[in-house]
Structure formats: C-alpha cells, structure tokens
Amino acid sequence: MTVLDIPELALVALVGISGSGKSTFAGRHFASSQVLSSDAFRAMVADDENDQSASAEAFDALHYVAGKRLRAGRLTVVDATNLQPHARAALVRVAREHDVLPVAIVLDVPEALAWERTEARSDRTFGRQVLARMSRDLRRSYGQLAREGFRKVHVLRGTEEIEAAEIRYERLF
Ligand code: CTP
Ligand code: MG
C-alpha cells in the first residue's frame, strides 16, 4: 500500500496524460463534489467536454469555483491533465490566495497502456501524436513540480502503485 499524506484542507492537482486514470482515481478516492474536472467545465461552458477551444473559459470557471470552495475550507481536487507549467501555476496561485496548501498527485502509466485505454473510448478522438506530446510534457514536469510551489508531490508509477494508493489526511492544527 502506498500512503499519500494530504493536508485535510488542500488543493489537490492530479497530473497525468490522458488515459492515465485520473478521473478513475478521483472517483475512487474523493467525493464527486470535491472533484472539479476540466471536462465537466468544458461541457458547462461549451456543451462539449472535448471542445479544446473552450479551455480558457472552462479553466477560468474552474478556478473560480475552486476559490469558492477553498475559501469555505473545502478540500478540492482538480481533475485535468495539469501537464503545462502555466496550468499548474494557476492552481498554485488559487491555493495561495486562500492560504491553502497545493499538493500534486502524479499518475504515471506507460504511454502504450494509456493509448490502449484512450483508443477504446468513444469520448476521446485525439491522435497518437497528441498523447506522445503529453508524455513529453509529463517528463518535463518532473523537474519542475517541486519548485512550482507544490507542498507535496506524490508520484504513483505504474498501475499497481496507483491501484494500491490510499489517501491519509493530515490534521492541520
Ligand atoms: N481505466 C481502466 N483501468 C484503470 C483506470 C482506468 O481500465 N485502472 C480505464 C477507464 O475506465 C477509462 C480509461 O481507462 O475508460 C481512462 O481512464 P480515466 O480515469 O478516464 O483517465 P483520465 O486520466 O481521466 O483520462 P483523460 O485525461 O482523458 O480524462
Ligand atoms: Mg479524465
């Protein structure tokens, strides 16, 4: 079992390529109301969870809601790839604005497995090259995450480690 220590009030950023199992992980470990997913926000603002042209508006709304939750002292999980430094910087900023600790959980699965899963989905239509680019972004992310301001960076490598992970909440006071 891999125990992931997380402050009981935190902004948790899931980090991983498409098909790494972020939404599955979020659904298993957190209440649905705690999880803000980029897909859901794209659907909210553009009626289409895959409409990448709606990303800016979707994330704007997601950050707004995250801020509302953190202000109320509610643990919040961001289910998005979070592979780009600017995407993570926005989350660190929202957390800091509300005196909440930002934490990252990286799900790292082999690209081939992620592709196999993605290909099997009717709600994902992007090509192999897009996934390859995400993998490059993930590898680049490793050297950057800690100094971006994340209080903790938990890395789960491979399906077994992801499967065996348990969240343990740390009392803040
Ligand atoms: N899946 C699986 N076994 C796991 C985890 C996920 O078979 N242990 C499947 C899911 O059922 C889903 C696909 O793999 O069909 C992708 O998993 P998902 O959790 O949706 O991955 P995400 O990282 O959320 O992908 P995306 O970034 O595209 O939302
Ligand atoms: Mg998902």
Side-chain angles (χ1 to χ4, degrees):
M1 184 170 82
T2 311
V3 177
L4 311 181
D5 282 316
I6 288 176
E8 59 184 355
L9 174 54
L11 177 65
V12 179
L14 300 182
V15 178
I17 66 175
S18 210
S20 59
K22 300 179 297 296
S23 300
T24 304
F25 184 90
R28 184 171 302 164
H29 295 284
F30 302 99
S32 61
S33 55
Q34 295 178 311
V35 180
L36 306 182
S37 94
S38 52
D39 281 349
F41 277 87
R42 276 193 207 91
M44 269 184 250
V45 302
D47 295 323
D48 177 357
E49 66 172 47
N50 284 307
D51 184 351
Q52 300 302 314
S53 74
S55 288
E57 296 297 330
F59 278 102
D60 195 38
L62 186 154
H63 297 148
Y64 183 78
V65 175
K68 290 289 181 195
R69 290 185 53 82
L70 298 181
R71 180 163 303 162
R74 301 188 189 284
L75 179 113
T76 299
V77 180
V78 178
D79 175 10
T81 56
N82 292 317
L83 293 167
Q84 304 281 343
H86 72 85
R88 295 190 297 262
L91 298 182
V92 170
R93 202 178 313 125
V94 175
R96 284 198 179 138
E97 278 168 9
H98 298 87
D99 293 319
V100 167
L101 297 171
V103 171
I105 301 177
V106 181
L107 306 191
D108 192 345
V109 305
E111 189 184 316
L113 173 63
W115 177 245
E116 203 175 283
R117 290 172 172 175
T118 298
E119 258 196 315
R121 293 176 67 179
S122 56
D123 58 341
R124 287 290 183 270
T125 54
F126 57 78
R128 190 77 175 80
Q129 288 311 308
V130 173
L131 198 68
R133 194 182 63 223
M134 289 185 192
S135 285
R136 282 196 297 277
D137 290 339
L138 175 65
R139 285 196 294 277
R140 234 171 254 140
S141 297
Y142 276 118
Q144 304 170 324
L145 275 160
R147 54 184 146 92
E148 286 173 347
F150 288 97
R151 172 67 169 262
K152 284 197 173 136
V153 179
H154 292 295
V155 179
L156 297 172
R157 284 182 208 274
T159 50
E160 283 182 22
E161 215 168 282
I162 293 169
E163 202 67 34
E166 292 297 339
I167 308 283
R168 185 168 63 194
Y169 290 105
E170 295 175 320
R171 298 290 298 273
L172 286 173
F173 302 105

